Amino acid sequence: MSRFQVKKVAVLGAGVMGAQIAAHLVNVRVPVVLFDLAAEDGPRNGIVARAIDNLKKMKPAPLGDVAEAVLIEAANYEDDLARLGDCDLVIEAIAERMDWKLDLYRKIAPHVARHAILASNTSGLSITRLSEALPEALKPRFCGIHFFNPPRYMALVELIDTPTTEPRVLDDLETFVTSTLGKGVVRAHDTPNFIANRVGIAGMLATLKEVEKFGLTPDVVDDLTGKKLGRASSGTFRTADVVGLDTMAHVVKTLQDNLNPETDPFYANFATPPVLAKLLELGHLGQKTKAGFYKKTGRDILRFDLEEGDYVPSGRKADEVYGRMLKKPAAERLKLLRESEGAEGRFLWAILRDSFHYAAVHLATIAESARDVDLAMRWGFGMKQGPFELWQEAGWARVAKWVQEDIDAGHALSTAPLPQWVFEGPVAEAGGVHTPEGSWSASQGRFIAPRRLPVHARQLFPESVLGANAPDARQAGTTLSDEGDVRVWTLDGEILIASIHSKMHAISPDVAEALGAAVELAEAEYGGLVIWSPDEMFSVGADLQAMLPAFVVAGIGAVEGAEQELQNVMLKIRYAAVPVVAAVRGLALGGGCELAVYSARRVAAMESYMGLVEVGVGLVPGAGGLTYIARRAAENAAASTGGDLLPFLSEGFTAAAMAKVGTGAIDSKKLGFLLESDVIVAHKDELLYVALQQARSMADAGWRPPLRRSFRVAGRSGAATIKGQLVNLRDGGFISAHDFHIASLIAGVVTGGDIDAGSLVTEEYLMALERKAFCSLIVHPRTQERIMGMLSTGKPVRN
C-alpha cells in the first residue's frame, strides 16, 4: 500500500459539486476544509456556511448523517489560504471557467504544502493547459480528478495526468480514491470531456438526433432506454433533468469548443439540440428548477413538447414487443432490433450502432484500453454493460459487419469507417476487445492487463468486464456444501464463508438450517465464519412465500415452529464459539437485519440499508429483532448514570414500529443496527477482504462469545407509556387501527409483557413473546391483506 497519507483535504469551491465532495469526505471520516469567496456582507465565510447548510436539505442526501455537516470547516480565499499548508490533498472544484481556474491557481500555489497533491475536478477542460499556470515545483503534483454527480453515490472517478505529472502521484491518488472514498477509478487521456462524458454525452446527442429522425416522444424513449436496455432506470431525458440541462449544455459546449470535424468525425452532431436550446432559454434546467424535459404539476408528470412550446401530458409507454426483444440473448436481441420494421425497434438499433461506432473510432485517443471505456460507462452512466462488452457478447464480427454496412449505406451519424483493428488482427482473432490476457489498447496495438496497485489486493473479486474471465466468487475457493440456498466455502482454509443465494437472499427454513450447520462446521474446524454474498444485497428477510404453504397445510403451529427454529439459529450465531462476522451490502431488511445484529460483528459497505420492516406486511419482527432492541436498551441504560429504560428504548421501538430503514451505513448506525465497534467500508469490493480480516483478528485475539445473562425491561408501566403515545397518533389519524394494534404488540414485547418494571428476563423469554405476537398477526385478516398485496405487487398495503 502507498505511504501517502491524506490527513486533511481542502476543497476549493462551495458550489454543488464542491460541497458534495466535502460531504463525502466527512462520510468517510476525512477532515475537510471547504473554501469559497469571502462574503461581501455578514460573516466572512457566509457563502460556505450557506452551502454547508444546503447539504442538509439535498436529495439524495450527500451526508450520511446531516448532523455531521458541522464537521466541514469553512474558509475563504482572502483570509485562510495559509490553512492550505495543513492539507495533503487540494481539490479545486470551482465553476468550469478556464480563466477563473488559472487565476485561482496563481493565488493558491504559494500556500500548497510541498508534499500535497493538487487536483482539478473538471468535467472536460484540458488538464495540461490548466497546469501551465502552476510553478514548476507544483506541476509534478498536479492532475485532473473528475467526480460524477452526486459524488456520494456515483462510483466513477476519472484521473487525468499531464506530461509533467509524476506517475507516483496518480498511483497515490488512485489508492486514496479507491479505498478511502470507495470509488472505481479510470485513468483517462487529456482529451475533451475525457472518457465517460465524451462517450456518454455524444451518445445522448446521438439519441436526440435519432429521436428526431424516428419521431418518438421523451416518455417513450425513457421507457426504452432505461432498465429495459440495461441502463439507468431514469432513461435518457430524466437523466438529463437530474444532471441539469445547464450542466449538459456546458459539456456539449466543451465538445463544440475543443473539437472540430478533423478531430472528431461526429462533430456535426454536436450542435445544441433545438429542444435543449429552448428549455435553456426558458430557464428550465431540469430537476433543480422543477422543470426540464419533464415537469410535475400536482400528481401529473408533463413532458415538454417543442412544437407546442409547452408541457403536455406524459406517461406513454413503448410497445411491449420491444420489451420482450430486449430480454433476449444479446446476439438475438440485436438481430431482432436491426431487422425491426417499427420505429421504436429501429431507433434502438440506431442508438446502439451509434455507440459502437463512436467508441471504436475514438478508443485510441480517449482511453488506454477498451476496459476503461466500458467501466467508465458502467460506473458513470449506470449501464449494465459498456458498449464494447455488449458488442462482443452479441458476436464481434457479425455486429462489426452490420455497423459498417450502415455506415456505407449512409444510415450512421458519420461516414467515418470502423478502424481496421476491428476487422483484422488480434481483436478479430480473439472475437472481441476483452480477453483473459487483457483488453485492447488501440493506441498501443495490443491487449493490456488491468493496472494492479497494492490497494487492489483488497478487492478479492473486483468488478471486471465480459470476456476477461475474472475469478467468479460463486465458484471460487473450496466448496464444502451447497444446500438450502447457502453455499458454504473457504478461500484460505482458516475462515468459513456462507453465501446465501436464494432469490433476494430471502431466509427460508432451509436457509436458516444451512446457516446453523455452517456455524457448527466453523466451530468444529475453522477459526470463524463470514456471512457474505457477491451481489447487491445481504438479505430482504424471511421468505413469506415459503412460510404460507406450511401455514395452509399445518396451521399456525407450523409457523410458530419455523419462527422458533429461526430464533434458535440467531442465538446459535450470537453465542458461537467462533466469531461470526456479517458482511453487509445493500439491503438488510427484516430477518436480514436480524441476522446481521445477532452476528459478533458487522462490516458494512457505505451504501447498506438496514431496518426491521415487518410492519409493512402487517407483522412484527419475529427472529429476535425485538429481543435485540430490548437487550441493547438495557445494556445502554446499564452503562449510563440514569436508571430509566424508556429513553434508551425509544429509538429502537420507533425504528421497528415505523419500519425505519437506515439511508446508508452511517444512518443505520444511528438507528442502532450498527455499533461503534462495527466497521464501515467505503468500497463495496473490499467488503469480503475486510470481513475476513476482522474474523481472523478476532479469532487471533482469543475470541470468546458473550455470556448468557438476564437483563432489565421496562415492564407493563413502560408499555402503558408507549401505548398512550400511540393512542394520540391513532386518534389523530396518523396511523390506522391495524398499525396501532401492531405497534402495541411491539411495545408489549420490547417492554417484557405483563411484568413489573425492572424485572430481569432472558432472550428466550422475549423471543417467546415475539413468536406469540407474530403468530397472532399472521392469522389476522388485515395482515393477510398486506402479505398478499406485497407478494403480488411488491408494494406495501396501507389498511
Side-chain angles (χ1 to χ4, degrees), residues 615 620 626 653 656-657 718-720 722-727 730 735-753 769 773 776-777:
V615 169
V620 299
L626 300 183
F653 165 78
I722 295 173
K723 288 177 184 177
Q725 297 169 347
L726 293 173
V727 168
R730 181 196 61 194
I735 61 175
S736 70
H738 195 49
D739 290 328
F740 173 81
H741 176 58
I742 298 168
S744 297
L745 290 174
I746 292 173
V749 175
V750 298
T751 56
L769 295 182
S776 73
L777 284 168

PDB file of all heavy atoms in Angstrom, residues 615 620 626 653 656-657 718-720 722-727 730 735-753 769 773 776-777:
ATOM      1  N   VAL A 615     -43.535  -4.487   9.767  1.00  0.00           N
ATOM      2  CA  VAL A 615     -44.806  -3.767   9.862  1.00  0.00           C
ATOM      3  C   VAL A 615     -45.424  -3.577   8.483  1.00  0.00           C
ATOM      4  O   VAL A 615     -46.648  -3.557   8.330  1.00  0.00           O
ATOM      5  CB  VAL A 615     -44.589  -2.406  10.565  1.00  0.00           C
ATOM      6  CG1 VAL A 615     -45.827  -1.532  10.436  1.00  0.00           C
ATOM      7  CG2 VAL A 615     -44.264  -2.627  12.030  1.00  0.00           C
ATOM      8  N   VAL A 620     -44.742  -8.374  13.072  1.00  0.00           N
ATOM      9  CA  VAL A 620     -43.695  -7.825  13.923  1.00  0.00           C
ATOM     10  C   VAL A 620     -42.416  -8.608  13.658  1.00  0.00           C
ATOM     11  O   VAL A 620     -42.470  -9.746  13.187  1.00  0.00           O
ATOM     12  CB  VAL A 620     -44.069  -7.931  15.428  1.00  0.00           C
ATOM     13  CG1 VAL A 620     -45.331  -7.158  15.720  1.00  0.00           C
ATOM     14  CG2 VAL A 620     -44.198  -9.391  15.861  1.00  0.00           C
ATOM     15  N   LEU A 626     -36.904  -7.779  18.027  1.00  0.00           N
ATOM     16  CA  LEU A 626     -37.428  -7.031  19.176  1.00  0.00           C
ATOM     17  C   LEU A 626     -36.647  -7.371  20.443  1.00  0.00           C
ATOM     18  O   LEU A 626     -36.431  -6.513  21.307  1.00  0.00           O
ATOM     19  CB  LEU A 626     -38.913  -7.312  19.359  1.00  0.00           C
ATOM     20  CG  LEU A 626     -39.808  -6.928  18.165  1.00  0.00           C
ATOM     21  CD1 LEU A 626     -41.271  -7.187  18.485  1.00  0.00           C
ATOM     22  CD2 LEU A 626     -39.589  -5.476  17.774  1.00  0.00           C
ATOM     23  N   PHE A 653     -37.716   1.108  19.511  1.00  0.00           N
ATOM     24  CA  PHE A 653     -39.152   0.876  19.335  1.00  0.00           C
ATOM     25  C   PHE A 653     -39.659   1.626  18.112  1.00  0.00           C
ATOM     26  O   PHE A 653     -40.382   1.074  17.280  1.00  0.00           O
ATOM     27  CB  PHE A 653     -39.935   1.334  20.567  1.00  0.00           C
ATOM     28  CG  PHE A 653     -41.408   1.451  20.293  1.00  0.00           C
ATOM     29  CD1 PHE A 653     -42.207   0.321  20.252  1.00  0.00           C
ATOM     30  CD2 PHE A 653     -41.991   2.692  20.030  1.00  0.00           C
ATOM     31  CE1 PHE A 653     -43.563   0.415  19.968  1.00  0.00           C
ATOM     32  CE2 PHE A 653     -43.344   2.798  19.751  1.00  0.00           C
ATOM     33  CZ  PHE A 653     -44.127   1.661  19.716  1.00  0.00           C
ATOM     34  N   ALA A 656     -38.664   0.025  14.779  1.00  0.00           N
ATOM     35  CA  ALA A 656     -39.431  -1.174  14.437  1.00  0.00           C
ATOM     36  C   ALA A 656     -40.881  -0.839  14.122  1.00  0.00           C
ATOM     37  O   ALA A 656     -41.463  -1.358  13.155  1.00  0.00           O
ATOM     38  CB  ALA A 656     -39.352  -2.183  15.573  1.00  0.00           C
ATOM     39  N   ALA A 657     -41.504   0.027  14.934  1.00  0.00           N
ATOM     40  CA  ALA A 657     -42.924   0.339  14.759  1.00  0.00           C
ATOM     41  C   ALA A 657     -43.189   1.132  13.488  1.00  0.00           C
ATOM     42  O   ALA A 657     -44.272   1.042  12.900  1.00  0.00           O
ATOM     43  CB  ALA A 657     -43.434   1.117  15.967  1.00  0.00           C
ATOM     44  N   GLY A 718     -43.973   0.662  31.367  1.00  0.00           N
ATOM     45  CA  GLY A 718     -43.311   1.187  30.173  1.00  0.00           C
ATOM     46  C   GLY A 718     -44.182   1.001  28.941  1.00  0.00           C
ATOM     47  O   GLY A 718     -44.296   1.905  28.096  1.00  0.00           O
ATOM     48  N   ALA A 719     -44.817  -0.177  28.851  1.00  0.00           N
ATOM     49  CA  ALA A 719     -45.711  -0.441  27.723  1.00  0.00           C
ATOM     50  C   ALA A 719     -46.884   0.534  27.727  1.00  0.00           C
ATOM     51  O   ALA A 719     -47.306   1.030  26.665  1.00  0.00           O
ATOM     52  CB  ALA A 719     -46.212  -1.876  27.775  1.00  0.00           C
ATOM     53  N   ALA A 720     -47.421   0.825  28.916  1.00  0.00           N
ATOM     54  CA  ALA A 720     -48.557   1.743  29.020  1.00  0.00           C
ATOM     55  C   ALA A 720     -48.174   3.143  28.547  1.00  0.00           C
ATOM     56  O   ALA A 720     -48.958   3.828  27.872  1.00  0.00           O
ATOM     57  CB  ALA A 720     -49.059   1.783  30.453  1.00  0.00           C
ATOM     58  N   ILE A 722     -45.851   3.931  26.334  1.00  0.00           N
ATOM     59  CA  ILE A 722     -45.719   3.911  24.866  1.00  0.00           C
ATOM     60  C   ILE A 722     -47.093   3.865  24.208  1.00  0.00           C
ATOM     61  O   ILE A 722     -47.370   4.595  23.250  1.00  0.00           O
ATOM     62  CB  ILE A 722     -44.865   2.705  24.426  1.00  0.00           C
ATOM     63  CG1 ILE A 722     -43.430   2.850  24.927  1.00  0.00           C
ATOM     64  CG2 ILE A 722     -44.876   2.575  22.898  1.00  0.00           C
ATOM     65  CD1 ILE A 722     -42.551   1.641  24.680  1.00  0.00           C
ATOM     66  N   LYS A 723     -47.984   3.032  24.743  1.00  0.00           N
ATOM     67  CA  LYS A 723     -49.312   2.903  24.134  1.00  0.00           C
ATOM     68  C   LYS A 723     -50.111   4.194  24.248  1.00  0.00           C
ATOM     69  O   LYS A 723     -50.919   4.513  23.371  1.00  0.00           O
ATOM     70  CB  LYS A 723     -50.069   1.744  24.785  1.00  0.00           C
ATOM     71  CG  LYS A 723     -49.518   0.375  24.393  1.00  0.00           C
ATOM     72  CD  LYS A 723     -50.252  -0.755  25.118  1.00  0.00           C
ATOM     73  CE  LYS A 723     -49.642  -2.108  24.799  1.00  0.00           C
ATOM     74  NZ  LYS A 723     -50.288  -3.223  25.541  1.00  0.00           N
ATOM     75  N   GLY A 724     -49.867   4.958  25.320  1.00  0.00           N
ATOM     76  CA  GLY A 724     -50.537   6.249  25.449  1.00  0.00           C
ATOM     77  C   GLY A 724     -50.172   7.182  24.299  1.00  0.00           C
ATOM     78  O   GLY A 724     -51.024   7.909  23.758  1.00  0.00           O
ATOM     79  N   GLN A 725     -48.917   7.145  23.888  1.00  0.00           N
ATOM     80  CA  GLN A 725     -48.479   7.951  22.749  1.00  0.00           C
ATOM     81  C   GLN A 725     -49.083   7.426  21.446  1.00  0.00           C
ATOM     82  O   GLN A 725     -49.434   8.210  20.547  1.00  0.00           O
ATOM     83  CB  GLN A 725     -46.953   7.960  22.679  1.00  0.00           C
ATOM     84  CG  GLN A 725     -46.302   8.601  23.903  1.00  0.00           C
ATOM     85  CD  GLN A 725     -44.807   8.367  23.968  1.00  0.00           C
ATOM     86  OE1 GLN A 725     -44.276   7.527  23.244  1.00  0.00           O
ATOM     87  NE2 GLN A 725     -44.127   9.092  24.842  1.00  0.00           N
ATOM     88  N   LEU A 726     -49.229   6.119  21.349  1.00  0.00           N
ATOM     89  CA  LEU A 726     -49.813   5.522  20.144  1.00  0.00           C
ATOM     90  C   LEU A 726     -51.284   5.894  19.993  1.00  0.00           C
ATOM     91  O   LEU A 726     -51.775   6.090  18.869  1.00  0.00           O
ATOM     92  CB  LEU A 726     -49.661   3.998  20.182  1.00  0.00           C
ATOM     93  CG  LEU A 726     -48.235   3.451  20.091  1.00  0.00           C
ATOM     94  CD1 LEU A 726     -48.234   1.937  20.313  1.00  0.00           C
ATOM     95  CD2 LEU A 726     -47.617   3.789  18.734  1.00  0.00           C
ATOM     96  N   VAL A 727     -51.985   5.989  21.109  1.00  0.00           N
ATOM     97  CA  VAL A 727     -53.403   6.383  21.071  1.00  0.00           C
ATOM     98  C   VAL A 727     -53.544   7.755  20.418  1.00  0.00           C
ATOM     99  O   VAL A 727     -54.434   7.976  19.577  1.00  0.00           O
ATOM    100  CB  VAL A 727     -54.014   6.381  22.490  1.00  0.00           C
ATOM    101  CG1 VAL A 727     -55.371   7.074  22.488  1.00  0.00           C
ATOM    102  CG2 VAL A 727     -54.155   4.950  23.000  1.00  0.00           C
ATOM    103  N   ARG A 730     -53.109   7.398  16.714  1.00  0.00           N
ATOM    104  CA  ARG A 730     -54.278   6.762  16.089  1.00  0.00           C
ATOM    105  C   ARG A 730     -55.450   7.727  16.035  1.00  0.00           C
ATOM    106  O   ARG A 730     -56.067   7.904  14.969  1.00  0.00           O
ATOM    107  CB  ARG A 730     -54.674   5.507  16.879  1.00  0.00           C
ATOM    108  CG  ARG A 730     -55.875   4.753  16.286  1.00  0.00           C
ATOM    109  CD  ARG A 730     -56.452   3.795  17.306  1.00  0.00           C
ATOM    110  NE  ARG A 730     -56.935   4.512  18.503  1.00  0.00           N
ATOM    111  CZ  ARG A 730     -57.238   3.929  19.650  1.00  0.00           C
ATOM    112  NH1 ARG A 730     -57.119   2.619  19.785  1.00  0.00           N
ATOM    113  NH2 ARG A 730     -57.678   4.655  20.675  1.00  0.00           N
ATOM    114  N   ILE A 735     -51.957   7.100  12.175  1.00  0.00           N
ATOM    115  CA  ILE A 735     -51.788   5.666  11.941  1.00  0.00           C
ATOM    116  C   ILE A 735     -53.160   5.013  11.928  1.00  0.00           C
ATOM    117  O   ILE A 735     -54.116   5.539  12.524  1.00  0.00           O
ATOM    118  CB  ILE A 735     -50.895   5.000  13.020  1.00  0.00           C
ATOM    119  CG1 ILE A 735     -51.508   5.152  14.417  1.00  0.00           C
ATOM    120  CG2 ILE A 735     -49.481   5.548  12.970  1.00  0.00           C
ATOM    121  CD1 ILE A 735     -50.739   4.406  15.502  1.00  0.00           C
ATOM    122  N   SER A 736     -53.263   3.858  11.235  1.00  0.00           N
ATOM    123  CA  SER A 736     -54.539   3.150  11.176  1.00  0.00           C
ATOM    124  C   SER A 736     -54.738   2.325  12.443  1.00  0.00           C
ATOM    125  O   SER A 736     -53.813   2.148  13.252  1.00  0.00           O
ATOM    126  CB  SER A 736     -54.560   2.231   9.954  1.00  0.00           C
ATOM    127  OG  SER A 736     -53.658   1.150  10.133  1.00  0.00           O
ATOM    128  N   ALA A 737     -55.943   1.775  12.583  1.00  0.00           N
ATOM    129  CA  ALA A 737     -56.237   0.928  13.744  1.00  0.00           C
ATOM    130  C   ALA A 737     -55.345  -0.306  13.742  1.00  0.00           C
ATOM    131  O   ALA A 737     -54.889  -0.761  14.807  1.00  0.00           O
ATOM    132  CB  ALA A 737     -57.713   0.523  13.729  1.00  0.00           C
ATOM    133  N   HIS A 738     -55.065  -0.846  12.551  1.00  0.00           N
ATOM    134  CA  HIS A 738     -54.206  -2.033  12.497  1.00  0.00           C
ATOM    135  C   HIS A 738     -52.755  -1.669  12.805  1.00  0.00           C
ATOM    136  O   HIS A 738     -52.052  -2.438  13.475  1.00  0.00           O
ATOM    137  CB  HIS A 738     -54.310  -2.700  11.131  1.00  0.00           C
ATOM    138  CG  HIS A 738     -53.756  -4.095  11.116  1.00  0.00           C
ATOM    139  ND1 HIS A 738     -54.081  -5.051  12.059  1.00  0.00           N
ATOM    140  CD2 HIS A 738     -52.885  -4.702  10.262  1.00  0.00           C
ATOM    141  CE1 HIS A 738     -53.454  -6.175  11.799  1.00  0.00           C
ATOM    142  NE2 HIS A 738     -52.717  -5.996  10.706  1.00  0.00           N
ATOM    143  N   ASP A 739     -52.307  -0.493  12.343  1.00  0.00           N
ATOM    144  CA  ASP A 739     -50.972  -0.031  12.722  1.00  0.00           C
ATOM    145  C   ASP A 739     -50.861   0.099  14.239  1.00  0.00           C
ATOM    146  O   ASP A 739     -49.842  -0.265  14.838  1.00  0.00           O
ATOM    147  CB  ASP A 739     -50.681   1.340  12.077  1.00  0.00           C
ATOM    148  CG  ASP A 739     -50.485   1.251  10.579  1.00  0.00           C
ATOM    149  OD1 ASP A 739     -49.982   0.226  10.107  1.00  0.00           O
ATOM    150  OD2 ASP A 739     -50.838   2.226   9.884  1.00  0.00           O
ATOM    151  N   PHE A 740     -51.926   0.639  14.860  1.00  0.00           N
ATOM    152  CA  PHE A 740     -51.949   0.784  16.322  1.00  0.00           C
ATOM    153  C   PHE A 740     -51.841  -0.575  16.990  1.00  0.00           C
ATOM    154  O   PHE A 740     -51.092  -0.746  17.968  1.00  0.00           O
ATOM    155  CB  PHE A 740     -53.240   1.487  16.750  1.00  0.00           C
ATOM    156  CG  PHE A 740     -53.438   1.527  18.244  1.00  0.00           C
ATOM    157  CD1 PHE A 740     -52.785   2.474  19.011  1.00  0.00           C
ATOM    158  CD2 PHE A 740     -54.270   0.604  18.878  1.00  0.00           C
ATOM    159  CE1 PHE A 740     -52.957   2.508  20.386  1.00  0.00           C
ATOM    160  CE2 PHE A 740     -54.437   0.630  20.248  1.00  0.00           C
ATOM    161  CZ  PHE A 740     -53.783   1.593  21.012  1.00  0.00           C
ATOM    162  N   HIS A 741     -52.574  -1.555  16.463  1.00  0.00           N
ATOM    163  CA  HIS A 741     -52.554  -2.902  17.035  1.00  0.00           C
ATOM    164  C   HIS A 741     -51.152  -3.503  16.946  1.00  0.00           C
ATOM    165  O   HIS A 741     -50.630  -4.065  17.933  1.00  0.00           O
ATOM    166  CB  HIS A 741     -53.564  -3.776  16.298  1.00  0.00           C
ATOM    167  CG  HIS A 741     -53.568  -5.207  16.739  1.00  0.00           C
ATOM    168  ND1 HIS A 741     -53.795  -5.589  18.043  1.00  0.00           N
ATOM    169  CD2 HIS A 741     -53.356  -6.365  16.039  1.00  0.00           C
ATOM    170  CE1 HIS A 741     -53.735  -6.912  18.139  1.00  0.00           C
ATOM    171  NE2 HIS A 741     -53.462  -7.400  16.933  1.00  0.00           N
ATOM    172  N   ILE A 742     -50.501  -3.370  15.782  1.00  0.00           N
ATOM    173  CA  ILE A 742     -49.162  -3.940  15.596  1.00  0.00           C
ATOM    174  C   ILE A 742     -48.158  -3.246  16.508  1.00  0.00           C
ATOM    175  O   ILE A 742     -47.350  -3.903  17.181  1.00  0.00           O
ATOM    176  CB  ILE A 742     -48.724  -3.813  14.117  1.00  0.00           C
ATOM    177  CG1 ILE A 742     -49.663  -4.595  13.197  1.00  0.00           C
ATOM    178  CG2 ILE A 742     -47.288  -4.306  13.941  1.00  0.00           C
ATOM    179  CD1 ILE A 742     -49.476  -4.284  11.719  1.00  0.00           C
ATOM    180  N   ALA A 743     -48.231  -1.905  16.547  1.00  0.00           N
ATOM    181  CA  ALA A 743     -47.289  -1.155  17.379  1.00  0.00           C
ATOM    182  C   ALA A 743     -47.469  -1.477  18.861  1.00  0.00           C
ATOM    183  O   ALA A 743     -46.496  -1.532  19.626  1.00  0.00           O
ATOM    184  CB  ALA A 743     -47.455   0.345  17.134  1.00  0.00           C
ATOM    185  N   SER A 744     -48.700  -1.724  19.269  1.00  0.00           N
ATOM    186  CA  SER A 744     -48.960  -2.100  20.666  1.00  0.00           C
ATOM    187  C   SER A 744     -48.339  -3.449  20.985  1.00  0.00           C
ATOM    188  O   SER A 744     -47.791  -3.655  22.078  1.00  0.00           O
ATOM    189  CB  SER A 744     -50.471  -2.144  20.921  1.00  0.00           C
ATOM    190  OG  SER A 744     -51.051  -0.866  20.748  1.00  0.00           O
ATOM    191  N   LEU A 745     -48.409  -4.383  20.031  1.00  0.00           N
ATOM    192  CA  LEU A 745     -47.760  -5.680  20.229  1.00  0.00           C
ATOM    193  C   LEU A 745     -46.245  -5.522  20.334  1.00  0.00           C
ATOM    194  O   LEU A 745     -45.599  -6.166  21.174  1.00  0.00           O
ATOM    195  CB  LEU A 745     -48.124  -6.626  19.087  1.00  0.00           C
ATOM    196  CG  LEU A 745     -49.578  -7.118  19.038  1.00  0.00           C
ATOM    197  CD1 LEU A 745     -49.823  -7.937  17.764  1.00  0.00           C
ATOM    198  CD2 LEU A 745     -49.903  -7.966  20.271  1.00  0.00           C
ATOM    199  N   ILE A 746     -45.680  -4.652  19.495  1.00  0.00           N
ATOM    200  CA  ILE A 746     -44.235  -4.398  19.558  1.00  0.00           C
ATOM    201  C   ILE A 746     -43.868  -3.824  20.926  1.00  0.00           C
ATOM    202  O   ILE A 746     -42.891  -4.254  21.558  1.00  0.00           O
ATOM    203  CB  ILE A 746     -43.801  -3.439  18.429  1.00  0.00           C
ATOM    204  CG1 ILE A 746     -43.940  -4.135  17.066  1.00  0.00           C
ATOM    205  CG2 ILE A 746     -42.364  -2.962  18.636  1.00  0.00           C
ATOM    206  CD1 ILE A 746     -43.692  -3.229  15.878  1.00  0.00           C
ATOM    207  N   ALA A 747     -44.673  -2.862  21.397  1.00  0.00           N
ATOM    208  CA  ALA A 747     -44.426  -2.261  22.716  1.00  0.00           C
ATOM    209  C   ALA A 747     -44.471  -3.316  23.809  1.00  0.00           C
ATOM    210  O   ALA A 747     -43.643  -3.311  24.738  1.00  0.00           O
ATOM    211  CB  ALA A 747     -45.445  -1.160  22.986  1.00  0.00           C
ATOM    212  N   GLY A 748     -45.418  -4.232  23.690  1.00  0.00           N
ATOM    213  CA  GLY A 748     -45.541  -5.279  24.694  1.00  0.00           C
ATOM    214  C   GLY A 748     -44.325  -6.181  24.744  1.00  0.00           C
ATOM    215  O   GLY A 748     -43.889  -6.592  25.832  1.00  0.00           O
ATOM    216  N   VAL A 749     -43.758  -6.475  23.575  1.00  0.00           N
ATOM    217  CA  VAL A 749     -42.585  -7.362  23.550  1.00  0.00           C
ATOM    218  C   VAL A 749     -41.350  -6.645  24.090  1.00  0.00           C
ATOM    219  O   VAL A 749     -40.645  -7.169  24.963  1.00  0.00           O
ATOM    220  CB  VAL A 749     -42.326  -7.882  22.120  1.00  0.00           C
ATOM    221  CG1 VAL A 749     -41.034  -8.714  22.089  1.00  0.00           C
ATOM    222  CG2 VAL A 749     -43.497  -8.727  21.630  1.00  0.00           C
ATOM    223  N   VAL A 750     -41.056  -5.443  23.587  1.00  0.00           N
ATOM    224  CA  VAL A 750     -39.797  -4.793  23.967  1.00  0.00           C
ATOM    225  C   VAL A 750     -39.781  -4.353  25.426  1.00  0.00           C
ATOM    226  O   VAL A 750     -38.711  -4.105  25.997  1.00  0.00           O
ATOM    227  CB  VAL A 750     -39.481  -3.589  23.048  1.00  0.00           C
ATOM    228  CG1 VAL A 750     -39.303  -4.036  21.606  1.00  0.00           C
ATOM    229  CG2 VAL A 750     -40.536  -2.502  23.155  1.00  0.00           C
ATOM    230  N   THR A 751     -40.974  -4.254  26.054  1.00  0.00           N
ATOM    231  CA  THR A 751     -41.013  -3.899  27.471  1.00  0.00           C
ATOM    232  C   THR A 751     -41.147  -5.126  28.369  1.00  0.00           C
ATOM    233  O   THR A 751     -41.179  -4.996  29.596  1.00  0.00           O
ATOM    234  CB  THR A 751     -42.167  -2.931  27.765  1.00  0.00           C
ATOM    235  OG1 THR A 751     -43.395  -3.526  27.319  1.00  0.00           O
ATOM    236  CG2 THR A 751     -41.951  -1.597  27.058  1.00  0.00           C
ATOM    237  N   GLY A 752     -41.238  -6.309  27.770  1.00  0.00           N
ATOM    238  CA  GLY A 752     -41.235  -7.534  28.569  1.00  0.00           C
ATOM    239  C   GLY A 752     -42.598  -8.089  28.915  1.00  0.00           C
ATOM    240  O   GLY A 752     -42.706  -9.043  29.709  1.00  0.00           O
ATOM    241  N   GLY A 753     -43.685  -7.494  28.388  1.00  0.00           N
ATOM    242  CA  GLY A 753     -45.006  -8.036  28.653  1.00  0.00           C
ATOM    243  C   GLY A 753     -45.563  -7.594  29.999  1.00  0.00           C
ATOM    244  O   GLY A 753     -45.154  -6.576  30.576  1.00  0.00           O
ATOM    245  N   LEU A 769     -42.316 -14.181  23.516  1.00  0.00           N
ATOM    246  CA  LEU A 769     -43.305 -13.115  23.310  1.00  0.00           C
ATOM    247  C   LEU A 769     -43.355 -12.688  21.843  1.00  0.00           C
ATOM    248  O   LEU A 769     -44.430 -12.412  21.302  1.00  0.00           O
ATOM    249  CB  LEU A 769     -42.965 -11.902  24.180  1.00  0.00           C
ATOM    250  CG  LEU A 769     -43.046 -12.079  25.708  1.00  0.00           C
ATOM    251  CD1 LEU A 769     -42.731 -10.749  26.396  1.00  0.00           C
ATOM    252  CD2 LEU A 769     -44.423 -12.576  26.130  1.00  0.00           C
ATOM    253  N   ALA A 773     -46.720 -12.837  19.413  1.00  0.00           N
ATOM    254  CA  ALA A 773     -47.231 -11.668  18.685  1.00  0.00           C
ATOM    255  C   ALA A 773     -47.237 -11.930  17.186  1.00  0.00           C
ATOM    256  O   ALA A 773     -48.199 -11.598  16.479  1.00  0.00           O
ATOM    257  CB  ALA A 773     -46.374 -10.443  19.010  1.00  0.00           C
ATOM    258  N   SER A 776     -50.055 -14.318  16.257  1.00  0.00           N
ATOM    259  CA  SER A 776     -51.388 -13.717  16.379  1.00  0.00           C
ATOM    260  C   SER A 776     -51.691 -12.823  15.178  1.00  0.00           C
ATOM    261  O   SER A 776     -52.856 -12.654  14.788  1.00  0.00           O
ATOM    262  CB  SER A 776     -51.482 -12.891  17.678  1.00  0.00           C
ATOM    263  OG  SER A 776     -50.733 -11.691  17.573  1.00  0.00           O
ATOM    264  N   LEU A 777     -50.653 -12.274  14.591  1.00  0.00           N
ATOM    265  CA  LEU A 777     -50.854 -11.382  13.449  1.00  0.00           C
ATOM    266  C   LEU A 777     -51.014 -12.136  12.134  1.00  0.00           C
ATOM    267  O   LEU A 777     -51.764 -11.714  11.256  1.00  0.00           O
ATOM    268  CB  LEU A 777     -49.682 -10.400  13.336  1.00  0.00           C
ATOM    269  CG  LEU A 777     -49.690  -9.254  14.349  1.00  0.00           C
ATOM    270  CD1 LEU A 777     -48.358  -8.517  14.354  1.00  0.00           C
ATOM    271  CD2 LEU A 777     -50.830  -8.276  14.051  1.00  0.00           C
TER     272      LEU A 777
END
